Amino acid sequence: VEIEYWQYVFDSRVQAMDQLIKNFEAANPDITVKHTTFPYADYQTRVVAAKVAGQGPDVVQLFYGWLDNFVSGELIQPLDPAVFPTAEIESDFFPIVSAMKRGDSYYGLPTAVRSLALFYNKALFEEAGIANPPSNLEELLAAAEATVKRDGGGNIISEGITMDMAGQDHHWWREALIRQNGGVPYDAEGNVAYNDAAGAAALKFYTDLQTEQKVGLVGFMDEGQAAFRAGLAAMTIDGTFRLGAFESNPFEWGVVELPADANGVRSNYSSYFANAIGASAQGEEKIAAEKFLAYISSPEAMEVWLDIVGELPARRDVALTETNLNDPIKGPFLKGLEYAHTTKFYDEAAQRQTAIDMVNRVLLEGQSVEDSLAQAAAAEQAIIDAATK
Amino acid sequence: MTSSELAANRRDIRPGRIIIWTLLVIGGLIMITPLLFMFSTSLKTAGQVYDLRLIPASPTFANYVKVLGDGRFMQWFFNSTFIAVTVTLSNVFFDSLVGYTLAKFEFRGRYFIFLAILSTLMIPTEMLVIPWYLMSSQLGWIDSYWGIMFPGMMTAFGTFLMKQFFEGVPNDFLEAARVDGLNEFTIWWKIAMPMVVPAISALAIFTFLGNWTAFFWPLIVTTSKELYTLPVGISSFSAESSIQWELIMTGAAIGTIPTLVVFLLLQRYIVRGVMLAGLKG
Amino acid sequence: MASATAKQGAGSTRFWDRLNMSTKRVIWAWTFLALPILFYAAIRFYPTFTAFWLSLTDWDLLRPANFIGFANYQKMFADPVFWKVFQNTFLYLLVGTPVSLIISFVIAYYLDRVRFMHGFIRALYFLPFLTTAAAMGWVWRWFYQPLPIGVINGFLSTIGMEQQPFLRSTLQALPSILVPAIWAGLGFQIIIFMAGIRAIPSTFYEAAKIDGLGDWAILRKITVPLLKPTTVFLVVFSSIGFLRIFDQVYNMTSNDPGGPLNATKPIVLMIYQTAFSSYQMGYAAAQTVVLFTILLVVSLLQLYVLREKK
Amino acid sequence: MAKIELQGLVKEYGKSRAVHGIDLTIEDGEFVVFVGPSGCGKSTTLRMIAGLEDISGGVLKIGDEVVNQREPKQRNIAMVFQNYAIYPHMTVGQNIGFGLYTSKLSKAEKQKRIAETGAILGLEKLLDRRPAALSGGQRQRVAIGRAMVRDPVAFLFDEPLSNLDAQLRAQMRMEIKSLHRRLGTTIVYVTHDQVEAMTMADKIVVMKDGHILQVGTPTDLYEHPLDVFTARFIGSPSMNLVPATIEGGTLSLADAKWAGGALPNTNGKVLVGVRPHDLVVTDDAGQGLSATGTVVAVEPLGSETLVHLQLAGETVVATAPGRVVPAIGSTVSVAAEVGSLYLFDAATEKALGRA
Amino acid sequence: MAKIELQGLVKEYGKSRAVHGIDLTIEDGEFVVFVGPSGCGKSTTLRMIAGLEDISGGVLKIGDEVVNQREPKQRNIAMVFQNYAIYPHMTVGQNIGFGLYTSKLSKAEKQKRIAETGAILGLEKLLDRRPAALSGGQRQRVAIGRAMVRDPVAFLFDEPLSNLDAQLRAQMRMEIKSLHRRLGTTIVYVTHDQVEAMTMADKIVVMKDGHILQVGTPTDLYEHPLDVFTARFIGSPSMNLVPATIEGGTLSLADAKWAGGALPNTNGKVLVGVRPHDLVVTDDAGQGLSATGTVVAVEPLGSETLVHLQLAGETVVATAPGRVVPAIGSTVSVAAEVGSLYLFDAATEKALGRA
Ligand SMILES: Nc1ncnc2c1ncn2[C@@H]1O[C@H](COP(=O)(O)OP(=O)(O)OP(=O)(O)O)[C@@H](O)[C@H]1O
Ligand SMILES: Nc1ncnc2c1ncn2[C@@H]1O[C@H](COP(=O)(O)OP(=O)(O)OP(=O)(O)O)[C@@H](O)[C@H]1O
Ligand SMILES: [Mg+2]
Ligand SMILES: [Mg+2]
């Protein structure tokens, strides 16, 4: 039988998957896997459009935040507990895998997971005379202040830390900064809970980077990662998936865990792309699809993935090996996984937009932190309400 | 004699003219600055992309080698060419035929049909994409050349342009051919068409450009990489995490070069073609 | 099919031969039009009606559509983002159309008189028309960057002026998008204007000169009025273009689509996001219906205002 | 070779009638010229014959066959248009050869025919040129060549010379005429230039407002016009007309006197017509008409001088020999011989006879 | 009101010379007509006078002032173009008023001038119409109106009638002429129609290849052409020319004989010119030239018949009275009186005198 596998285009992911498919086909000569990829920006559109046309894939990759959409749109089917025992999943994988659970059923399994960390430019640190990368927020501010460069007119020409809500900063704010200020982003029912002092303090900390400390500038070099790559930012917060892109940076850089707060509390955000079985797979194809899914979430596949893509294995025992934990690059990310949270998104793009707008209102329109926060909370709650009604 | 020849007849070159000429040239150079940056970036390495000097520190063709070396790129290039050429031919054929019929035949409903076709200019394409997609999937056109091409096979703009031109062709030519025994189709094809060659080249160029750069619909309707058009392919260089600008610019540069060459070769016809149309609102 | 029947048969009393000439011509005309009519009906009109129908449903691509009356429209008119977008769309139209037409006319007017290297200069102005908005959006984005890499800000700081936020400002973002949009379409408009100017017989100018008019008076009294058909064409087409602006906005603000706090978001981008990011097809269809209405009303209004007064 | 018959031919455009049922027989080999003012229906009639317009009523026969419903190509007629309608994208040879489009001749035979036709029209050297590189007269010849090459039963010409300048027009007039003499094919020719009509026609058809007013040889029409319209239309400069009355066998004109000559038997108001060439400036008034008037304009043509003078409130044109140029404002005497007057009923404008 | 003087006026287009240094004085109030074949430089000269073309060499004076460098508006001349150049977007009244654009008159005075001009040209009722709704003759009048309204020192006309049909042309010819008589303004008029030149001009300027061949009154040029070109150009139909020789005081022509009359004192090959109107079909050959030839074509014009006949290998045109129409192929005798022959040197084509 032939089954179809869909994911988005990213060179190393495609390469890794080709490798996995080759291995899989060697082991299962009666199954061929057709590997189809789309540009990231249009990936969802394509999956949805294909479903409308009734031509969906058998195994499909999806961001965990899209799950509700995919389930309610009947794009994917629940995993058969006979093939993928629930207990086993919950014991072998990192707990964030529970984001794939709806009711009693799991809808997909990740090969790899990702978390956030603080990247820093060793050359700029050295130049500023800082020996160690920051381990808490206070040190972060100090390091940023020390490394930022301004011209005669006070314009930043090299950032202390990048500011990019459209990138990973909204996760940092939501899952790390709020919690470090003593709040929670969402309550148990999944409703917005950050419209309080903790949320405001977190937002203030973030916007102050530009307005008070003047160590960062939203829109500087267009994207935070671009500024960092160009050597024009000393620090940036980003995910595992950026490792590949930073590999070619023409300077030395390092990674540390996200800074702790004054009390040493740490938090992180973790996410992943899972693989699920398409709603249209039935009979023979479904069996083949299950076999394939089992293979690509096996420890062997995770090793391959770690090798080629650099993403962290989703199974604890594969991930948390001694060598991995001591790796200067992988280590901080893996440690982050231990205390990471996973936001339950209903409409990831729209929810991120509320965070972007919230910061913009403060920075561009001079709205007070509290008002802006309240407005963002209301907007996000509306999105959640619309999705859950 | 046209007004420009008239102007040329004035032998005295006044300082005003030199100033105007200089201003025009400066304006023109400003116009192409973004293009220059496109070419310049395509000659840079990933690390230099953010260095906005126009002349790259160490120009390299590595990006071109990389882009062109990828067999898929040549495939996309072929796809774009094939699609743009086919759609252009179709437009030249059908838009002319319809324009001719509306210009030269008298029958009830002619004006209504003209208005109906013209009114499609006001329908935003965005409105049609979903129904098109549904239609394609029901008819099995998804992921095929035909699927990419069918929405553009005829356009109201082309029909309008050609109608204007054909109205300028004297009836005597058509009647002479009728007396010579040609049927209506041959009259159109053998007599009327050759008389509007400038219009056809203008139409062809506009259609070609429009389809060569088409992005949104090809993106929706193709699934396999082998069928991507150039712009879709170029944008697939951008991935979730890091955008490879130097490659995008290289792709864009390669994509622009053919249209550039075609335009430079045919710009006289465009101008003349549009000119003869005498666009009467 | 008619070409077959049109072939002269042996028996000259065949049906085709008994028709009179105008009937034959009508048959020819409909034969020529048959395929195109089918095409326009199926590819343009039918989908349009589908869109009208969808705007009354809650279709989200995934679940079957339910008729919900005018709920989408109510939702839209109650949405402040929609009104912001509505306002932006008209700003694009009301600033973009006149500015681009005036610039292109001025350039065309003077370019027409230039003989030396005429083709070369004309090509300079036309080249941007050949580019894709996606690629050029990037270049423009970088032009607008803050220091140290932004070309424009770099220029401003060398002449001692303050830095401008451009795309990062709720006020400047929209004009900053308009510039590349005008830039990209300028070449086309210049060529059309030049064609129009050249179509004016030179004796009109000569007669006016003999009547004692100066260059400015000739421009006002002769060139501009006689250029009216061209102007009408360009006004209508460029208005449609600005009302449907998308590529530039989408590509220049891809991090925060529609600019900071929707400062640059036009209606087409809203439709795109509603349809392909939120999958609210019914809602998106309602927005397309509004766009369609705007296009129709604006075009008809322009044609009416600029009509040939007999 | 064929006779063309028009029986009650009618053409209607919507509700308006352009041709009001005309009857005419054009004999095989005849050269018939339609003349008349603009909009009188000449072209429409020609185009009905050609098969380019539907016939709204009546019968059209070519060579005894009713051809009302036939397509142009089935009628085997050829037509030459005012603006020549030669295709700019083809060479002269190709243009001429286009007349053979539907013919079943072999390629070689077609080439031969093209060469022959080119030779007859003196276009041998131009066969490979494009029309843009031809003069007006040459273009006209190419158009005729395209018509000739097919050996049609009749040629139709619609104002073929009106785009040419005076000298070329005179020359082409001769050429068409001699072509007709050589080929002997029926020719129907439309013009509003009476000189062309007079010099070329075997038979002139005068049309007005969709009606035929008179049919006849050029001399016929010149000498015996049936009404004022034809009288004024034929002959250049136009016939002078002055109001007069006939009472009991005497003709009285203001400012003029009539001596001798029999008058038509009528009473009442008439119009007296006299051609400028018959009204000569002279001092010795003999028999016939004599008058004196004030010169208002003179047009010396070299061989003769046209003298415009005021007579009975009308401006009439008289002729004087080329070397005589009367001063403007002077008074001159003019005279017309007996037999040179045309009399018309003032009310109906119908001819009453000569005097 | 002004005299216009051209002194060695030269026009060069790039390397090619369109006008080769012409000298001419146009007196105040004179009606001067430039004639010549297409491309001879008539329009160019006119446009230099108007100020629409730069002058490459020589001096142009209007009213004793050198105006070489003046703008058109400073010269205060008015021009009427072949295609009228009336603005389609203005009414007739606005078009006429446009001539007053730079004038400092009050609005009411302008209106009055427009109304007056309209009245003179018979356009009163049309002042609110758009040009699209006018006939050719009316458009031409509007163009003249726009020129007139301003009261210029001179009018320039560039083939103003060539887009009109024959009858309108004759009528407009008269109108322009009488306008000139009324206004008395200098007029420079370009045409390639010799009839217009003959009938309108006070002075005709014959041009060829950028040179002036001859300047004179119409009668002058008709009677005393300086060369073959002018002789053939002036007069319609064109003068016949047959080669002959003069040896020792006798003129010998093939197929013809010459009796009596003094000959110019020359020897060798000559061209004998005789105008068709002087070569009449007659049986009684008296003094002068007589010949017989075969008729190849006849053109009956009503008042006279043009008879084309073969003579000494040339086709010559003779005239016969209107009612005489010789059969083609028949032989006729023609004769020309003493004094009606024009003799030219065969080599230089310069006139030798009359005979
Ligand atoms: N297609 C048409 N539709 C309506 N009326 C027409 C059409 N063609 C001609 N006519 C009318 O028919 C009448 C005769 O026109 P026709 O062209 O035969 O005149 P004509 O004698 O050839 O004039 P001209 O000398 O100007 O060519 C005119 O009144 C004209 O307005
Ligand atoms: N703009 C120009 N550039 C180059 N040569 C020109 C230009 N205008 C006219 N000429 C040349 O100058 C010569 C005289 O032209 P002009 O227009 O004066 O002729 P014309 O006597 O008015 O002829 P026509 O009777 O055809 O109007 C011609 O040989 C023409 O080719
Ligand atoms: Mg006609
Ligand atoms: Mg000229």
PDB file of all heavy atoms in Angstrom, chain D residues 27-46:
ATOM      1  N   GLU D  27     -26.996  45.781 -68.120  1.00  0.00           N
ATOM      2  CA  GLU D  27     -26.711  44.785 -69.148  1.00  0.00           C
ATOM      3  C   GLU D  27     -25.307  44.227 -68.974  1.00  0.00           C
ATOM      4  O   GLU D  27     -24.432  44.872 -68.397  1.00  0.00           O
ATOM      5  CB  GLU D  27     -26.837  45.421 -70.546  1.00  0.00           C
ATOM      6  CG  GLU D  27     -28.206  45.937 -70.895  1.00  0.00           C
ATOM      7  CD  GLU D  27     -29.264  44.838 -70.923  1.00  0.00           C
ATOM      8  OE1 GLU D  27     -28.894  43.648 -71.134  1.00  0.00           O
ATOM      9  OE2 GLU D  27     -30.459  45.149 -70.707  1.00  0.00           O
ATOM     10  N   ASP D  28     -25.126  43.056 -69.512  1.00  0.00           N
ATOM     11  CA  ASP D  28     -23.817  42.426 -69.484  1.00  0.00           C
ATOM     12  C   ASP D  28     -22.793  43.340 -70.160  1.00  0.00           C
ATOM     13  O   ASP D  28     -23.016  43.825 -71.264  1.00  0.00           O
ATOM     14  CB  ASP D  28     -23.909  41.097 -70.229  1.00  0.00           C
ATOM     15  CG  ASP D  28     -22.607  40.325 -70.123  1.00  0.00           C
ATOM     16  OD1 ASP D  28     -21.806  40.652 -69.223  1.00  0.00           O
ATOM     17  OD2 ASP D  28     -22.407  39.404 -70.925  1.00  0.00           O
ATOM     18  N   GLY D  29     -21.702  43.584 -69.480  1.00  0.00           N
ATOM     19  CA  GLY D  29     -20.630  44.376 -70.075  1.00  0.00           C
ATOM     20  C   GLY D  29     -20.812  45.871 -69.978  1.00  0.00           C
ATOM     21  O   GLY D  29     -19.961  46.638 -70.418  1.00  0.00           O
ATOM     22  N   GLU D  30     -21.884  46.298 -69.374  1.00  0.00           N
ATOM     23  CA  GLU D  30     -22.153  47.727 -69.303  1.00  0.00           C
ATOM     24  C   GLU D  30     -21.357  48.381 -68.170  1.00  0.00           C
ATOM     25  O   GLU D  30     -21.027  47.734 -67.187  1.00  0.00           O
ATOM     26  CB  GLU D  30     -23.645  47.928 -69.039  1.00  0.00           C
ATOM     27  CG  GLU D  30     -24.209  49.178 -69.667  1.00  0.00           C
ATOM     28  CD  GLU D  30     -25.742  49.195 -69.574  1.00  0.00           C
ATOM     29  OE1 GLU D  30     -26.306  48.454 -68.734  1.00  0.00           O
ATOM     30  OE2 GLU D  30     -26.364  49.933 -70.321  1.00  0.00           O
ATOM     31  N   PHE D  31     -21.068  49.662 -68.367  1.00  0.00           N
ATOM     32  CA  PHE D  31     -20.407  50.430 -67.318  1.00  0.00           C
ATOM     33  C   PHE D  31     -21.454  51.395 -66.767  1.00  0.00           C
ATOM     34  O   PHE D  31     -21.795  52.384 -67.399  1.00  0.00           O
ATOM     35  CB  PHE D  31     -19.224  51.208 -67.912  1.00  0.00           C
ATOM     36  CG  PHE D  31     -18.258  51.749 -66.885  1.00  0.00           C
ATOM     37  CD1 PHE D  31     -16.889  51.478 -66.991  1.00  0.00           C
ATOM     38  CD2 PHE D  31     -18.696  52.516 -65.816  1.00  0.00           C
ATOM     39  CE1 PHE D  31     -15.989  51.962 -66.056  1.00  0.00           C
ATOM     40  CE2 PHE D  31     -17.801  53.001 -64.886  1.00  0.00           C
ATOM     41  CZ  PHE D  31     -16.452  52.731 -65.004  1.00  0.00           C
ATOM     42  N   VAL D  32     -21.968  51.064 -65.574  1.00  0.00           N
ATOM     43  CA  VAL D  32     -23.044  51.875 -65.003  1.00  0.00           C
ATOM     44  C   VAL D  32     -22.512  52.672 -63.831  1.00  0.00           C
ATOM     45  O   VAL D  32     -21.835  52.122 -62.967  1.00  0.00           O
ATOM     46  CB  VAL D  32     -24.203  50.972 -64.545  1.00  0.00           C
ATOM     47  CG1 VAL D  32     -25.242  51.778 -63.783  1.00  0.00           C
ATOM     48  CG2 VAL D  32     -24.822  50.281 -65.738  1.00  0.00           C
ATOM     49  N   VAL D  33     -22.791  53.960 -63.828  1.00  0.00           N
ATOM     50  CA  VAL D  33     -22.322  54.795 -62.733  1.00  0.00           C
ATOM     51  C   VAL D  33     -23.513  55.311 -61.934  1.00  0.00           C
ATOM     52  O   VAL D  33     -24.469  55.831 -62.498  1.00  0.00           O
ATOM     53  CB  VAL D  33     -21.504  55.986 -63.262  1.00  0.00           C
ATOM     54  CG1 VAL D  33     -21.101  56.897 -62.107  1.00  0.00           C
ATOM     55  CG2 VAL D  33     -20.263  55.494 -63.997  1.00  0.00           C
ATOM     56  N   PHE D  34     -23.458  55.104 -60.627  1.00  0.00           N
ATOM     57  CA  PHE D  34     -24.459  55.673 -59.723  1.00  0.00           C
ATOM     58  C   PHE D  34     -23.934  57.000 -59.217  1.00  0.00           C
ATOM     59  O   PHE D  34     -22.833  57.055 -58.681  1.00  0.00           O
ATOM     60  CB  PHE D  34     -24.671  54.765 -58.515  1.00  0.00           C
ATOM     61  CG  PHE D  34     -25.549  53.577 -58.781  1.00  0.00           C
ATOM     62  CD1 PHE D  34     -25.095  52.506 -59.527  1.00  0.00           C
ATOM     63  CD2 PHE D  34     -26.831  53.530 -58.258  1.00  0.00           C
ATOM     64  CE1 PHE D  34     -25.907  51.398 -59.758  1.00  0.00           C
ATOM     65  CE2 PHE D  34     -27.638  52.431 -58.488  1.00  0.00           C
ATOM     66  CZ  PHE D  34     -27.188  51.367 -59.239  1.00  0.00           C
ATOM     67  N   VAL D  35     -24.702  58.062 -59.395  1.00  0.00           N
ATOM     68  CA  VAL D  35     -24.292  59.333 -58.806  1.00  0.00           C
ATOM     69  C   VAL D  35     -25.406  59.849 -57.915  1.00  0.00           C
ATOM     70  O   VAL D  35     -26.555  59.423 -58.005  1.00  0.00           O
ATOM     71  CB  VAL D  35     -23.982  60.424 -59.858  1.00  0.00           C
ATOM     72  CG1 VAL D  35     -22.696  60.133 -60.575  1.00  0.00           C
ATOM     73  CG2 VAL D  35     -25.138  60.592 -60.816  1.00  0.00           C
ATOM     74  N   GLY D  36     -25.059  60.792 -57.096  1.00  0.00           N
ATOM     75  CA  GLY D  36     -26.063  61.380 -56.217  1.00  0.00           C
ATOM     76  C   GLY D  36     -25.365  61.961 -55.015  1.00  0.00           C
ATOM     77  O   GLY D  36     -24.206  61.662 -54.760  1.00  0.00           O
ATOM     78  N   PRO D  37     -26.063  62.799 -54.280  1.00  0.00           N
ATOM     79  CA  PRO D  37     -25.432  63.437 -53.122  1.00  0.00           C
ATOM     80  C   PRO D  37     -25.175  62.428 -52.014  1.00  0.00           C
ATOM     81  O   PRO D  37     -25.686  61.313 -52.053  1.00  0.00           O
ATOM     82  CB  PRO D  37     -26.457  64.481 -52.684  1.00  0.00           C
ATOM     83  CG  PRO D  37     -27.752  63.975 -53.197  1.00  0.00           C
ATOM     84  CD  PRO D  37     -27.459  63.194 -54.439  1.00  0.00           C
ATOM     85  N   SER D  38     -24.419  62.849 -51.048  1.00  0.00           N
ATOM     86  CA  SER D  38     -24.072  61.984 -49.934  1.00  0.00           C
ATOM     87  C   SER D  38     -25.336  61.519 -49.217  1.00  0.00           C
ATOM     88  O   SER D  38     -26.266  62.284 -49.016  1.00  0.00           O
ATOM     89  CB  SER D  38     -23.181  62.765 -48.974  1.00  0.00           C
ATOM     90  OG  SER D  38     -22.604  61.910 -48.046  1.00  0.00           O
ATOM     91  N   GLY D  39     -25.358  60.242 -48.892  1.00  0.00           N
ATOM     92  CA  GLY D  39     -26.488  59.709 -48.130  1.00  0.00           C
ATOM     93  C   GLY D  39     -27.690  59.337 -48.963  1.00  0.00           C
ATOM     94  O   GLY D  39     -28.740  58.998 -48.436  1.00  0.00           O
ATOM     95  N   CYS D  40     -27.549  59.347 -50.292  1.00  0.00           N
ATOM     96  CA  CYS D  40     -28.719  59.077 -51.116  1.00  0.00           C
ATOM     97  C   CYS D  40     -28.940  57.578 -51.310  1.00  0.00           C
ATOM     98  O   CYS D  40     -29.942  57.173 -51.884  1.00  0.00           O
ATOM     99  CB  CYS D  40     -28.591  59.759 -52.473  1.00  0.00           C
ATOM    100  SG  CYS D  40     -27.318  59.034 -53.494  1.00  0.00           S
ATOM    101  N   GLY D  41     -28.028  56.751 -50.853  1.00  0.00           N
ATOM    102  CA  GLY D  41     -28.264  55.317 -50.953  1.00  0.00           C
ATOM    103  C   GLY D  41     -27.433  54.617 -52.013  1.00  0.00           C
ATOM    104  O   GLY D  41     -27.656  53.444 -52.311  1.00  0.00           O
ATOM    105  N   LYS D  42     -26.457  55.290 -52.574  1.00  0.00           N
ATOM    106  CA  LYS D  42     -25.619  54.681 -53.601  1.00  0.00           C
ATOM    107  C   LYS D  42     -24.859  53.483 -53.047  1.00  0.00           C
ATOM    108  O   LYS D  42     -24.922  52.380 -53.584  1.00  0.00           O
ATOM    109  CB  LYS D  42     -24.573  55.691 -54.116  1.00  0.00           C
ATOM    110  CG  LYS D  42     -25.128  56.994 -54.595  1.00  0.00           C
ATOM    111  CD  LYS D  42     -24.043  57.917 -55.120  1.00  0.00           C
ATOM    112  CE  LYS D  42     -23.041  58.384 -54.069  1.00  0.00           C
ATOM    113  NZ  LYS D  42     -23.596  59.291 -53.044  1.00  0.00           N
ATOM    114  N   SER D  43     -24.136  53.733 -51.958  1.00  0.00           N
ATOM    115  CA  SER D  43     -23.332  52.654 -51.394  1.00  0.00           C
ATOM    116  C   SER D  43     -24.220  51.507 -50.965  1.00  0.00           C
ATOM    117  O   SER D  43     -23.891  50.337 -51.165  1.00  0.00           O
ATOM    118  CB  SER D  43     -22.548  53.149 -50.188  1.00  0.00           C
ATOM    119  OG  SER D  43     -21.638  54.129 -50.571  1.00  0.00           O
ATOM    120  N   THR D  44     -25.334  51.834 -50.363  1.00  0.00           N
ATOM    121  CA  THR D  44     -26.227  50.795 -49.879  1.00  0.00           C
ATOM    122  C   THR D  44     -26.652  49.881 -51.025  1.00  0.00           C
ATOM    123  O   THR D  44     -26.635  48.656 -50.910  1.00  0.00           O
ATOM    124  CB  THR D  44     -27.450  51.448 -49.221  1.00  0.00           C
ATOM    125  OG1 THR D  44     -26.989  52.357 -48.231  1.00  0.00           O
ATOM    126  CG2 THR D  44     -28.329  50.407 -48.575  1.00  0.00           C
ATOM    127  N   THR D  45     -27.011  50.487 -52.131  1.00  0.00           N
ATOM    128  CA  THR D  45     -27.419  49.687 -53.277  1.00  0.00           C
ATOM    129  C   THR D  45     -26.262  48.805 -53.750  1.00  0.00           C
ATOM    130  O   THR D  45     -26.432  47.598 -53.981  1.00  0.00           O
ATOM    131  CB  THR D  45     -27.862  50.624 -54.433  1.00  0.00           C
ATOM    132  OG1 THR D  45     -28.812  51.546 -53.925  1.00  0.00           O
ATOM    133  CG2 THR D  45     -28.442  49.825 -55.564  1.00  0.00           C
ATOM    134  N   LEU D  46     -25.102  49.398 -53.853  1.00  0.00           N
ATOM    135  CA  LEU D  46     -23.937  48.643 -54.315  1.00  0.00           C
ATOM    136  C   LEU D  46     -23.666  47.472 -53.375  1.00  0.00           C
ATOM    137  O   LEU D  46     -23.386  46.354 -53.807  1.00  0.00           O
ATOM    138  CB  LEU D  46     -22.729  49.578 -54.355  1.00  0.00           C
ATOM    139  CG  LEU D  46     -21.567  49.068 -55.186  1.00  0.00           C
ATOM    140  CD1 LEU D  46     -21.943  49.171 -56.651  1.00  0.00           C
ATOM    141  CD2 LEU D  46     -20.313  49.877 -54.912  1.00  0.00           C
TER     142      LEU D  46
END
